[in-house]
Amino acid sequence: MARADRAIRALAIPTPFAVGDVNAYLIEDDPLTLVDGGPNSATALAHLEGLLAGYGHRVEDIGLLVVTHQHADHMGLTGHLAARSGAPIAALAGLASYLERWNEAGAADDQFAYDLMLRHGVEPRVAKALRAVARMTRGWGAPCVVERPLADGDELELAGGPLRVLARPGHSPSDTVFHDEERGVLIGGDHLLSRVSSNALIARPLSLDPETPLDGARPQPLLAYRASLQATHALDVDVVLGGHGAPVTAHRTLIDERLADQERRATQFLEVLKAGPASAHDLALSIWGEVAITQAYLTISEVLGHLDLLLEAHLIEEHTTASGLTRFTRVG
């Protein structure tokens, strides 16, 4: 059978978040496939419907829905689109329970983030305020049922040829990219973005049930993200279609820049620690000032990720005080 021609259409959908529009991707193939769908809002849905109509399609024509990762700006509309189209939802198997139990998983994430902020020096009143904001923003996502669970290395079969499923944890535990090997195209979600470096956000492991507390070492997403970037560096890719911004056309060059930037930032934190022991929040304040308070969880994730690079290199040590506060000290 001759392979069908394939067009991949970028659909820029508005979000309420500072990152701006999110890119969904319509793959005009058999089945008609939509990768991500935007946040759970009437504005996003109306915009998506208009973009689909511009290419001669309706929501009801979609035959497959694909989720790149667990963040609301990417998966929020997926359940609604599945109900209207009857299309199955494909996502990493480990993400299935999280998406189906969206509200419970989100509440567990919020508590995890609150506890992490307190442990790393954020004032309780600030941590409480940010937990309340996170609870309100959870509505931009919604539960959905994954009918086609995917594993790393699987293939999504389309008439125009398969898409290779590749797990790329780091920005989130569930980051997944889809590789059209024949055409040299990678649909990358938020794994590699052209205009900004993706945050390696500290998140509860997907394997944990929402009612189960995290027992053991905290996740180290920046280390995982660096391994994921290096795996993508090895791919033969002409273009990466990211979840925000313009396509990436020189992925190896950009990945080298991202890795070097991470190493430079880690050195910056090492220099700050010359002044003496400090919490992650202390370090965030020294670099970003007031932003470290209004964006406390983002900055704590950023700092801890780079401190993990220093811990891995045995350049610093981590200590927990009797009060439960974690502080970091230069070795020697």
Side-chain angles (χ1 to χ4, degrees), residues 195-218:
R195 69 184 189 215
V196 293
S197 179
S198 298
N199 289 317
L201 295 169
I202 299 177
R204 279 169 45 89
L206 289 175
S207 58
L208 278 185
D209 183 271
E211 282 76 36
T212 304
L214 178 62
D215 184 18
R218 61 174 166 77

Side-chain angles (χ1 to χ4, degrees), residues 82-153:
R84 281 182 56 181
S85 65
I89 298 170
L92 275 189
L95 183 56
S97 176
Y98 186 98
L99 294 180
E100 291 171 19
R101 303 183 66 185
W102 171 259
N103 293 316
E104 297 93 331
D109 286 351
D110 295 347
Q111 185 61 44
F112 169 82
Y114 175 77
D115 293 340
L116 189 80
M117 285 188 284
L118 292 183
R119 190 157 60 250
H120 290 284
V122 177
E123 294 181 32
R125 63 178 180 81
V126 174
K128 288 178 182 177
L130 291 173
R131 182 173 58 179
V133 171
R135 187 180 301 118
M136 290 187 292
T137 61
R138 201 180 306 144
W140 298 110
C144 59
V145 177
V146 175
E147 296 179 11
R148 294 187 58 181
L150 305 173
D152 183 40

Side-chain angles (χ1 to χ4, degrees), residues 99-316:
L99 294 180
E100 291 171 19
R101 303 183 66 185
W102 171 259
N103 293 316
E104 297 93 331
D109 286 351
D110 295 347
Q111 185 61 44
F112 169 82
Y114 175 77
D115 293 340
L116 189 80
M117 285 188 284
L118 292 183
R119 190 157 60 250
H120 290 284
V122 177
E123 294 181 32
R125 63 178 180 81
V126 174
K128 288 178 182 177
L130 291 173
R131 182 173 58 179
V133 171
R135 187 180 301 118
M136 290 187 292
T137 61
R138 201 180 306 144
W140 298 110
C144 59
V145 177
V146 175
E147 296 179 11
R148 294 187 58 181
L150 305 173
D152 183 40
D154 281 355
E155 291 185 345
L156 281 176
E157 293 291 346
L158 282 72
L163 295 176
R164 178 75 61 186
V165 178
L166 300 172
R168 291 291 189 265
H171 169 64
S172 80
S174 58
D175 273 29
T176 316
V177 301
F178 300 89
H179 189 195
D180 184 335
E181 297 173 351
E182 181 177 326
R183 297 169 179 83
V185 175
L186 190 73
I187 301 177
D190 284 357
H191 171 60
L192 185 64
L193 303 178
S194 59
R195 69 184 189 215
V196 293
S197 179
S198 298
N199 289 317
L201 295 169
I202 299 177
R204 279 169 45 89
L206 289 175
S207 58
L208 278 185
D209 183 271
E211 282 76 36
T212 304
L214 178 62
D215 184 18
R218 61 174 166 77
Q220 296 179 305
L222 186 62
L223 299 185
Y225 185 41
R226 287 171 63 83
S228 291
L229 286 175
Q230 289 159 351
T232 298
H233 192 286
L235 294 179
D236 289 327
V237 172
D238 295 323
V239 61
V240 178
L241 303 176
H244 305 276
V248 173
T249 55
H251 74 293
R252 292 191 175 105
T253 299
L254 183 58
I255 288 170
D256 287 340
E257 291 173 1
R258 295 282 191 260
L259 294 172
D261 286 345
Q262 292 161 8
E263 290 155 13
R264 280 193 292 269
R265 179 54 59 85
T267 300
Q268 186 178 14
F269 288 125
L270 186 62
E271 286 298 308
V272 175
L273 283 172
K274 282 183 176 179
S279 69
H281 189 53
D282 291 334
L283 292 169
L285 287 170
S286 72
I287 301 296
W288 294 293
E290 193 70 22
V291 173
I293 298 173
T294 59
Q295 301 289 328
Y297 193 67
L298 293 176
T299 57
I300 289 291
S301 290
E302 178 87 357
V303 172
L304 288 175
H306 291 86
L307 293 178
D308 284 337
L309 289 180
L310 299 174
L311 287 166
E312 186 180 51
H314 305 292
L315 295 172
I316 64 172

